[in-house]
């Protein structure tokens, strides 16, 4: 049974002395890292199998609650996790699948053709 959540708030998680910002608004949770080094440090805290298991469980919980998690690094959205997430090759290589990860961001804006 899916039940939508209405979230609003701010929180910080300490990661090796650095604060990782977590913002909640509507059906989106933003996880904001100041830079790539900070994100990779958190990723390295868990072994690959444990990390994948945690992300799969989180994906299921997010799907049941109809909420998305967006991962931001240095002001750019680079990842998305939701009930319908499909891992990218980059995510699998990094060991963070089922997270959707993109170098230039997730689900880029499509350019219109000359007629549109």
């Amino acid at each position: 049974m899916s039940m939508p959540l209405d979230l609003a708030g701010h929180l910080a998680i300490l990661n090796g002395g650095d604060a990782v910002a977590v913002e909640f608004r509507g059906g989106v949770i933003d996880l904001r890292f100041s830079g790539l080094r900070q994100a990779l440090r958190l990723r390295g805290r868990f072994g690959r199998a444990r990390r994948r298991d945690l992300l799969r469980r989180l994906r299921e919980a997010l799907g049941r609650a109809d909420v998305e998690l967006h991962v931001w690094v240095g002001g750019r959205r680079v990842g998305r996790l939701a009930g319908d997430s499909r891992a990218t090759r980059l995510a699998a290589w990094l060991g963070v699948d089922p997270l959707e990860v993109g170098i230039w961001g997730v689900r880029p804006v499509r350019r219109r053709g000359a007629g549109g």
Side-chain angles (χ1 to χ4, degrees):
M1 180 173 174
S2 177
M3 299 197 56
L5 293 179
D6 186 20
L7 304 171
H10 300 275
L11 138 81
I13 301 171
L14 292 178
N15 176 32
D18 296 328
V20 177
V22 182
E23 299 174 10
F24 309 87
R25 58 185 199 314
V28 176
I29 302 169
D30 286 326
L31 183 62
R32 296 183 181 271
F33 295 97
S34 60
L36 186 58
R37 182 177 293 166
Q38 185 185 38
L40 291 175
R41 191 168 36 243
L42 181 61
R43 175 189 154 268
R45 296 188 123 193
F46 302 98
R48 189 177 196 96
R50 177 78 173 132
R51 187 172 51 244
R52 284 179 166 165
D53 182 56
L54 288 170
L55 287 168
R56 284 186 185 113
R57 288 179 186 203
L58 180 58
R59 179 183 62 186
E60 291 170 9
L62 291 168
R64 285 191 301 271
D66 197 25
V67 174
E68 291 188 2
L69 173 72
H70 295 175
V71 179
W72 295 77
V73 175
R76 173 165 279 188
R77 191 176 98 173
V78 297
R80 175 185 171 270
L81 187 63
D84 64 348
S85 292
R86 300 290 176 251
T88 60
R89 287 184 178 153
L90 180 57
W93 181 74
L94 290 170
V96 294
D97 50 320
L99 189 70
E100 293 176 1
V101 176
I103 295 173
W104 308 115
V106 176
R107 294 188 181 183
V109 176
R110 294 183 186 177
R111 296 184 186 269
R112 291 183 181 181

